[in-house]
Amino acid sequence: MPDRPPLFADRAFQAVTALLIVNVAAFLVQEGTGPLWPAPVNWLLVIAVIVPALVLCRRVQTDPGSAPVVRRYWRTVEVGISLFVGVTGLRVLAEAGVAGWLLPASVVLHILGGVVLTWPLIGLPFSARDRTRMVGVWLDLGTLSAAAGLLVWHFAASALFADGRVTVPRVLAAATIMGAGLNGVYLAAKVVLAGVDSFARRGLYWIGASALIGGLGSAISFLHPHQPDGNLLLLVLPFAAFAAATGARTQVVDTAAGARSRRAPRGYSLMPYLAVAAVDALVLLHNVRGTGDGLLIDGVAVTLTALVVVRQLIAFRQNDALLARIGYEASHDMLTGLANRALFGERVTAAVTRSGPDEPFSVVLIDLDDFKTVNDTLGHATGDALLVHVAERMRANVRPVDTVARLGGDEFAILFEGAAGKDVERMLVRIAAALLEPALVDGRPLTARASFGVADGHRGDDAGDLLRRADIAMYEAKGRGEGGYERYRPEMETRGAERSRQAAALRTAITEDQLAVYFQPVVTLPDGRITGAEALVRWQHPVEGLLGPGAFIDTAEETGLIVPLGVWVLRAATREAATWPGEPTVSVNVSARQLREDGFPAVVAAALRDSGLPAHRLTVEITESVAVGGGATTENLQGLRDLGVRLSLDDFGTGASTLSLLASCPVDQIKLDRSFVPDGGSDAIADAVAQMARAFGLQTVAEGVETAEQAALMTRLGYERAQGFHFARPMSAADLRGRLGAATALSS
Ligand code: C2E
Ligand code: CA
Ligand code: CA
């Protein structure tokens, strides 16, 4: 927030303040000692306060930060205040005895000025956002106006009829007083209750103060126009001008500071209560002193009490609505409107305690398959729309007694009350079919496949346990990879437990350096010269010994540990490769999951920088499923290319390779999967891949070459590089360093 300039750092504002002090001092001194100078001078002093106040009104209008409503408001205020220069000018002439009609003329102009100043305040919109709140604001205003009206009447206007005679001039005078007083109170209240975002809140308070002082002060001073030693207006006008000037200055200062009026949703305002207290005080005063207006005072007191009670009832209703909303939000998922995890847990707990011995129920956990791909490739908006759609289909296919919940992400749950076994299965089949039916989501036909895990519940079960069992069953279903459902069986525990044990151990392995990188040389064909090596991770397990990736990569993928593991391998491999003599490249396997991470290129860049390995000596091996991933993946692939890193399509031929993929995905190399390296059988695929690679200008690597015959065949088919047991097995970093030092060709 920019700095707020000090309120006083303005010449005009300093002048208003100084002149207010002069006016007050002059008034008080003359009140005590009698006139210091001819009466017109006092009125000239008032003009002196009003003029700099006008300057400040102008400042708000020319301030570039002022919103149009703010400018319009202060333009009207400026006009109104200008009229008071006229009012005061007429008073100067009247006091100088120029003409008899000048005084009434000044009163008329005074009232006109009041109307002009009132006008824009009436137009101030209220900040209330709904009808109930608006009614509350009106009730508050009614309470205040009734109390103010009574007070002005009692203390000011009623004196006009003290002798019991009612004449037209008296009624007019009383109406003027009442009007001015009420207006001041109404406006002050309105300003406090109103809220306009473009107006500085502190400024509005000053406007309210100005209205109150001006309105009420004018009313009282009209009643006693000729105080013995001075006119009350000599105080009222300077104070009102000062308050208006402060409002203007505050508006400018707060606009500069970027502070806007911010209305907290106000449950109540103190003002109506103050009004009631004031009227109650009058009731007491009346009873003690026995002044007139008894019926009127009691009547207003009763009315006010009624208004405040109604107001209170409305507030209670608002509170109830608010509480209901808070309760709903705390127990429901805002995106889909389904129950949330908390409410679902409550319902399951209720089912556990309520259901009879032969009244079964079922807890089902549901996870969408491949939802992440939808999110990544089509964006979060489509992802959200799909979730809403899934929620609707689920809700449409359960009975009213069942609870459908969204637990978070793409995880849903259903509580089937009083149903188990085949009944539940039938409903799940129906839901799965409904999800698979294509639906237009965000203008795209989409289907959702889901995995379901079912746990049977009985009276006395632990609710948390039931959810966990359904979760285990769901992972079991997901593990099969084709949607569908699994019912929880105790044997599943051991497999699931094994998986989480391994995940924990693997986490330790990463942080405690139990991992190692092995390297398998990549050679050129036909001469078998080492041109690079592929980094392959190993786990030096404290109990089970050296483990290959087959033993733990799947767990790493499922748990997300593949991300830190991959970073570890990347850093170790680049660090090692930077020490190799000559220019051999190092290939690092990167999983789909890693490539979906935001900022993956930055991780690679950091590894290159820290190791000192030039980018062109690093090849990132990706599988075809990654290449079609889209979303953040595409961006990351481009980011890697921008770094100068080479990309290789691994296990080529096993995935979704298509010509269009090769044309659109920016790779440098393809690695023919070892299942297509001919072993006595047909070489048609190996041949076709080589020709295709040539057409696209890509380098070719034959993987899994185990014999001299295969090496010769791949050479003949045009493969430029090879990797396999025939040349070398994956070996430790130290062994590879020895080989590179010897710099001899591997058996070709
Ligand atoms: P891959 O990327 O296809 O790696 C080549 C695998 O083939 C290696 O198995 C290697 O030992 C094996 N291989 C090499 N030559 C021959 C041969 O002539 N005959 C046979 N039968 N096999 C051969 P490894 O080291 O067990 O790696 C298995 C897979 O684990 C790798 O397949 C790769 O997908 C994954 N992997 C290894 N290290 C990492 C890593 O750091 N990150 C990621 N994300 N995945 C890795
Ligand atoms: Ca590989
Ligand atoms: Ca491979």
Side-chain angles (χ1 to χ4, degrees):
M1 191 188 267
D3 277 342
R4 193 193 295 276
L7 201 62
F8 271 96
D10 182 287
R11 278 284 151 74
F13 190 66
Q14 291 164 359
V16 170
T17 313
L19 286 160
L20 171 71
I21 294 171
V22 168
N23 268 282
V24 173
F27 185 88
L28 292 179
V29 168
Q30 296 183 73
E31 194 80 347
T33 66
L36 291 173
W37 42 59
V41 176
N42 286 326
W43 293 103
L44 285 172
L45 278 179
V46 174
I47 296 187
V49 195
I50 296 179
V51 171
L54 283 173
V55 172
L56 287 164
C57 292
R58 186 113 291 247
R59 295 254 156 95
V60 192
Q61 296 168 57
T62 52
D63 185 33
S66 294
V69 267
V70 174
R71 282 179 206 198
R72 259 198 315 278
Y73 172 79
W74 284 102
R75 189 158 50 239
T76 322
V77 171
E78 191 188 352
V79 172
I81 295 184
S82 307
L83 290 179
F84 279 89
V85 175
V87 170
T88 325
L90 289 176
R91 293 270 179 168
V92 172
L93 299 177
E95 292 287 353
V98 172
W101 54 266
L102 287 166
L103 191 61
S106 91
V107 173
V108 170
L109 198 59
H110 192 124
I111 292 169
L112 187 65
V115 171
V116 171
L117 286 175
T118 302
W119 194 250
L121 280 181
I122 288 178
L124 272 191
F126 287 102
S127 61
R129 281 173 309 230
D130 51 48
R131 251 200 43 206
T132 345
R133 205 157 281 158
M134 199 61 217
V135 170
V137 167
W138 279 110
L139 283 172
D140 283 353
L141 273 182
T143 310
L144 287 171
S145 304
L150 178 66
L151 292 175
V152 174
W153 165 259
H154 184 78
F155 288 111
S158 64
L160 286 172
F161 308 100
D163 58 7
R165 276 181 44 224
V166 179
T167 62
V168 171
R170 281 182 178 187
V171 169
L172 279 180
T176 311
I177 293 166
M178 295 285 297
L182 262 180
N183 198 29
V185 171
Y186 167 78
L187 295 183
K190 163 129 200 202
V191 163
V192 175
L193 296 172
V196 192
D197 282 346
S198 330
F199 281 88
R201 174 120 301 261
R202 300 189 308 150
L204 280 180
Y205 286 137
W206 283 104
I207 297 170
S210 181
L212 191 63
I213 297 169
L216 214 52
S218 301
I220 294 172
S221 51
F222 284 158
L223 195 66
H224 310 285
H226 301 294
Q227 286 93 340
D229 296 302
N231 189 315
L232 204 56
L233 276 183
L234 291 175
L235 272 187
V236 169
L237 292 182
F239 270 113
F242 172 78
T246 312
R249 175 70 186 145
T250 306
Q251 176 69 44
V252 169
V253 164
D254 281 4
T255 305
R260 289 282 155 94
S261 75
R262 247 175 283 285
R263 301 292 289 141
R266 174 197 287 276
Y268 69 96
S269 154
L270 272 188
M271 295 180 71
Y273 299 98
L274 292 177
V276 171
V279 172
D280 286 349
L282 201 58
V283 170
L284 288 180
L285 193 73
H286 165 74
N287 281 332
V288 172
R289 291 239 220 103
T291 47
D293 300 337
L295 197 60
L296 178 70
I297 294 176
D298 292 347
V300 173
V302 169
T303 311
L304 286 200
T305 310
L307 284 175
V308 170
V309 166
V310 172
R311 175 83 180 87
Q312 206 66 44
L313 288 177
I314 290 182
F316 284 146
R317 234 185 48 200
Q318 281 174 333
N319 280 356
D320 283 351
L322 195 69
L323 284 180
R325 211 183 67 217
I326 291 173
Y328 179 84
E329 281 175 9
S331 59
H332 286 79
D333 169 51
M334 285 301 105
L335 176 66
T336 58
L338 295 178
N340 67 8
R341 184 182 287 275
L343 181 57
F344 189 73
E346 272 171 36
R347 295 268 166 92
V348 173
T349 308
V352 165
T353 43
R354 185 188 47 217
S355 62
D358 34 46
E359 224 185 298
F361 63 91
S362 300
V363 174
V364 180
L365 243 67
I366 305 152
D367 196 274
L368 301 187
D369 300 343
D370 282 333
F371 177 70
K372 184 141 179 57
T373 314
V374 173
N375 243 355
D376 287 351
T377 54
L378 304 176
H380 284 273
T382 308
D384 283 356
L386 182 63
L387 289 176
V388 170
H389 161 73
V390 164
E392 277 164 9
R393 291 255 159 123
M394 284 187 187
R395 214 171 359 208
N397 285 285
V398 299
R399 303 157 308 161
V401 290
D402 303 327
T403 303
V404 183
R406 178 171 170 234
L407 305 184
D410 58 345
E411 236 190 300
F412 294 84
I414 305 176
L415 170 65
F416 288 105
E417 306 258 11
K422 287 268 170 275
D423 292 340
V424 168
E425 276 169 26
R426 260 195 303 278
M427 288 189 267
L428 293 186
V429 167
R430 208 167 63 203
I431 292 174
L435 294 182
L436 278 174
E437 219 168 85
L440 270 195
V441 173
D442 239 17
R444 255 182 264 265
L446 284 183
T447 64
R449 207 181 57 183
S451 305
F452 301 79
V454 187
D456 297 328
H458 306 280
R459 188 195 181 87
D461 278 343
D462 180 74
D465 250 7
L466 275 178
L467 279 171
R468 202 181 47 82
R469 285 187 207 157
D471 193 49
I472 290 173
M474 190 270 289
Y475 270 104
E476 202 67 32
K478 214 174 187 56
R480 286 208 326 259
E482 57 213 7
Y485 61 87
E486 280 286 345
R487 185 172 294 277
Y488 169 81
R489 279 168 283 116
E491 312 88 85
M492 292 176 178
E493 291 276 4
T494 47
R495 249 174 293 167
E498 171 61 29
R499 195 167 32 215
S500 52
R501 254 199 315 278
Q502 198 189 34
L506 189 55
R507 198 166 289 134
T508 326
I510 298 169
T511 53
E512 297 190 351
D513 271 333
Q514 293 173 9
L515 298 182
V517 182
Y518 270 43
F519 292 94
Q520 184 177 34
V522 177
V523 302
T524 52
L525 288 177
D527 54 7
R529 199 171 40 80
I530 300 182
T531 166
E534 176 176 4
L536 296 160
V537 68
R538 298 291 181 263
W539 181 1
Q540 189 62 58
H541 195 282
V543 180
E544 294 168 43
L546 191 68
L547 298 180
F552 58 90
I553 284 287
D554 283 353
T555 306
E557 291 272 5
E558 283 165 20
T559 54
L561 283 171
I562 192 71
V563 174
L565 183 148
V567 173
W568 187 91
V569 171
L570 175 72
R571 296 187 68 87
T574 48
R575 210 173 326 126
E576 181 62 25
T579 69
W580 293 341
E583 291 258 296
T585 58
V586 63
S587 301
V588 174
N589 294 287
V590 167
S591 98
R593 175 69 187 263
Q594 277 176 282
L595 272 168
R596 284 200 298 256
E597 294 279 307
D598 278 338
F600 181 66
V603 172
V604 174
L608 290 172
R609 194 177 53 236
D610 294 347
S611 62
L613 186 74
H616 71 268
R617 285 180 56 200
L618 174 64
T619 302
V620 165
E621 292 196 2
I622 57 177
T623 54
E624 291 154 298
S625 57
V626 166
V628 292
T633 304
T634 317
E635 235 167 72
N636 280 342
L637 287 178
Q638 192 52 48
L640 291 177
R641 290 201 61 110
D642 293 345
L643 286 177
V645 168
R646 287 158 47 88
L647 296 181
S648 174
L649 260 188
D650 203 358
D651 302 342
F652 192 82
T654 57
S657 30
T658 62
L659 279 176
S660 64
L661 169 65
L662 274 184
S664 65
C665 181
V667 299
D668 306 275
Q669 185 185 71
I670 52 181
K671 283 182 102 166
L672 180 69
D673 190 71
R674 69 169 167 270
S675 58
F676 301 113
V677 172
D679 191 12
S682 155
D683 61 7
I685 291 182
D687 189 17
V689 169
Q691 294 189 29
M692 191 163 73
R694 260 197 301 280
F696 283 104
L698 304 175
Q699 192 177 62
T700 41
V701 186
E703 223 184 8
V705 175
E706 296 184 339
T707 64
E709 294 77 61
Q710 283 176 324
L713 175 61
M714 298 318 279
T715 308
R716 218 176 43 244
L717 291 177
Y719 282 82
E720 301 154 297
R721 299 197 175 184
Q723 183 183 348
F725 295 170
H726 173 61
F727 304 101
R729 291 188 173 255
M731 61 187 81
S732 71
D735 285 351
L736 181 67
R737 243 177 284 151
R739 290 282 191 103
L740 288 168
T744 45
L746 300 174
S747 51
S748 57

